[in-house]
Amino acid sequence: MRICKLGEDVLREQAQPVAEVTDELRSVFNEMFETMISANGVGLAAPQVGISQRFFVIIADDDVRRVFVNPQIVYKSDDLTSYEEGCLSIPGVYEDIMRPSKVTVQALNENGKPFTLEADGMLARIIQHEYDHLDGVLYIDRGDEQFKEKTVEQFKKRAERAAKKAEEKERKQKSIAAKIAAKKKGGK
């Protein structure tokens, strides 16, 4: 699966609820775990892989694979903690972010069964980070405004450079194809 990067619209959309947990969706969960692990991540939300639906997968510091479908954070502690966060959709960029140290979340698991989880520490942080993705919120929105603006501009320039490279590559391929076609036509 391709991980969407900062600047892609799907990352800023309000994700839609999942109607039903199906075998097809379970297959998507597995692909997301594989993608997340290969990218050295600890969480991955559906919008990050271009799916505007309300689910995410995580593997926290306890190494348990968890799937959250249609999650609702029903409790956040008043106690806040700071931690340096990063994101697979904003690679190579990190910032200290304040979040509640404890949360309680209700969701459906990979089999469509409801559960409630009380989490603290790293698990609570990852849940909040991934939950934000479902509402079109990125961790840079929760930090320093100047840092956010600089990061958004940096990724905008990256996208522009990538688009120019793609245009140039396409132009070269068309030129080569035209030369090949001309040689074939001349050789007949």
Side-chain angles (χ1 to χ4, degrees):
M1 298 179 109
R2 186 183 76 79
I3 298 174
C4 299
K5 302 292 186 266
L6 178 62
E8 295 185 53
D9 292 342
V10 70
L11 293 175
R12 292 303 193 170
E13 294 171 1
Q14 179 81 26
Q16 298 303 306
V18 172
E20 181 183 5
V21 178
T22 62
D23 287 342
E24 184 180 342
L25 193 56
R26 278 187 280 280
S27 178
V28 171
F29 301 153
N30 289 330
E31 283 184 67
M32 287 175 66
F33 275 118
E34 289 175 25
T35 301
M36 178 190 78
I37 291 166
S38 67
N40 294 317
V42 293
L44 190 62
Q48 291 181 274
V49 291
I51 303 169
S52 191
Q53 289 194 301
R54 298 189 73 79
F55 63 89
F56 59 82
V57 301
I58 66 172
I59 301 177
D61 45 3
D62 58 4
D63 288 331
V64 175
R65 288 180 177 229
R66 291 185 174 93
V67 174
F68 296 78
V69 179
N70 296 335
Q72 291 286 321
I73 294 179
V74 296
Y75 167 78
K76 294 181 181 182
S77 68
D78 292 334
D79 180 40
L80 302 178
T81 58
S82 178
Y83 188 82
E84 186 179 66
E85 289 189 28
C87 182
L88 296 176
S89 293
I90 312 174
V93 178
Y94 305 92
E95 183 180 21
D96 285 335
I97 302 296
M98 293 292 286
R99 292 195 188 265
S101 61
K102 296 178 183 178
V103 296
T104 301
V105 62
Q106 294 176 338
L108 302 178
N109 68 13
E110 64 276 9
N111 297 312
K113 302 289 184 224
F115 71 95
T116 300
L117 177 67
E118 293 179 13
D120 61 5
M122 187 57 71
L123 180 58
R125 180 164 297 273
I126 297 168
I127 289 168
Q128 291 172 82
H129 178 110
E130 299 309 326
Y131 185 85
D132 274 353
H133 277 296
L134 306 182
D135 292 328
V137 176
L138 302 174
Y139 80 95
I140 59 173
D141 300 331
R142 299 202 176 277
D144 178 73
E145 189 62 32
Q146 287 180 330
F147 176 81
K148 174 184 171 181
E149 289 171 10
K150 180 180 147 196
T151 302
V152 168
E153 187 60 31
Q154 175 186 352
F155 275 78
K156 186 176 176 184
K157 287 179 181 175
R158 280 188 196 179
E160 288 168 358
R161 284 193 301 270
K164 281 184 182 178
K165 281 183 180 180
E167 281 178 25
E168 181 64 19
K169 183 178 179 180
E170 185 178 342
R171 188 190 63 73
K172 285 180 181 178
Q173 288 173 338
K174 284 181 180 178
S175 174
I176 291 168
K179 288 177 184 176
I180 291 170
K183 275 189 179 182
K184 284 183 180 177
K185 193 175 189 180
K188 287 185 176 178

